[in-house]
Every structure is written in C-alpha cells, then in structure tokens.
Amino acid sequence: ATILISKHLFPPLLTIGVLVLFWLVTLRLWPTTSAERAQVVQARWELPTRLLVTLLILVGLTQIAPHLGASLAGGLATLPVISIVLCAATHRSFGPSGPLQFLRGLLLSLPGATSFALTVALLGPVINRYLVLSFALIITLAVAGWQGRHLWQGKRERIRSA
C-alpha cells in the first residue's frame, strides 16, 4: 500500500478500498484453530535472543533504507519485523497452530490501527496535533468497539449453535 500511494499509482481512497476488500477476504479464508499451550519452559536466553534478532533486522533495514526509500523502510520496520519475531516465539510456546492464531489476531487488529493512522494522516496537516491525536483515539476506540461487538455477537451465535 505504501508503494502504491507514494508512487501515485493509485489514489489513496482506491488503495484503502482495495486493502479493506483484501482484509475481508483474508479474514474469511484464514483458518481457525485452537492452540493448546505446549509445556515449554522458556530458557533464560530466549528473551535476549528475540531482542537481538529484532535489533539486527531493524539495523539491517536502516542500512538499506536509502535504497528502499523512507516510506517503504519505515513500513517494513514496524509491524512485519515485530510479527516475524513474535511468530517464532509463539510457535515455540504454542506449537504449529500458535502463529496461525497470532496472525489472525493481528488481522483482527488492523482496522483499529489503520483508522488511527488514517486519521492522523488526513487531519495532521490541517489541525493542532493534540486535537489530531484526540480524534484519532476516539475514532480508533469507536472502530474497536464496533468490531468487538460484531465479533462477540458472532461468537455468541456459534456458542448457541453448538
């Protein structure tokens, strides 16, 4: 999405519409699993290793940022890097179905994160930054509330039908 918008290949609203459609299709097709906690005792070295791996990836992205461009490097440096490291740790703790559940939760959180970023991007140049952040927070909470209500209703219906 960053490349499409920054290179002016598609208008931002069209790109957002395509991303929403992609999100809905992906969420619909994503497998649902039930992960049971594996009996894994985390070694003392595990957390420092996760931190080191994340740091090395971020430093590597920083080094190639001039070749990628600031927008793409910044987009890669946040959620994808954190997700890679957390998926590996989740796999170790919960087994093969753990990362599937983690990534499904990540997919479910995208509307809130996207609404926050979109609000800041649209209102940031126009109004005071404190008002922008206040509006972004309110909109994000509204999206999360709507989404949580929708998900809870679906869960209640599945429980009733079981």
Side-chain angles (χ1 to χ4, degrees):
T2 303
I3 293 172
L4 295 177
I5 293 173
S6 67
K7 301 294 183 193
H8 305 291
L9 298 175
F10 292 104
L13 289 179
L14 176 64
T15 304
I16 291 168
V18 169
L19 289 175
V20 167
L21 181 64
F22 180 77
W23 176 76
L24 290 171
V25 169
T26 303
L27 201 54
R28 182 80 171 150
L29 297 176
W30 198 265
T32 55
T33 62
S34 62
E36 295 183 20
R37 179 134 173 94
Q39 296 299 322
V40 175
V41 177
Q42 292 186 349
R44 291 180 57 181
W45 53 265
E46 192 168 341
L47 182 59
T49 303
R50 283 188 226 162
L51 293 171
L52 182 63
V53 168
T54 304
L55 178 67
L56 290 173
I57 293 171
L58 291 175
V59 168
L61 279 171
T62 303
Q63 293 301 312
I64 63 170
H67 305 291
L68 293 177
S71 295
L72 182 56
L76 290 174
T78 54
L79 204 53
V81 169
I82 293 168
S83 299
I84 289 168
V85 175
L86 288 176
C87 273
T90 304
H91 184 271
R92 178 169 158 72
S93 297
F94 294 96
S97 62
L100 286 173
Q101 285 188 320
F102 171 78
L103 291 172
R104 182 172 179 78
L106 186 68
L107 276 172
L108 289 171
S109 73
L110 286 178
T114 304
S115 65
F116 184 87
L118 185 62
T119 303
V120 170
L122 293 177
L123 296 180
V126 181
I127 61 176
N128 180 312
R129 66 177 166 222
Y130 299 111
L131 286 174
V132 169
L133 292 175
S134 298
F135 284 134
L137 179 62
I138 291 167
I139 289 171
T140 302
L141 290 174
V143 168
W146 173 83
Q147 188 179 11
R149 184 170 182 244
H150 178 71
L151 290 172
W152 178 248
Q153 285 176 348
K155 188 174 185 178
R156 280 193 315 201
E157 291 172 10
R158 285 192 301 272
I159 291 171
R160 285 183 194 151
S161 65

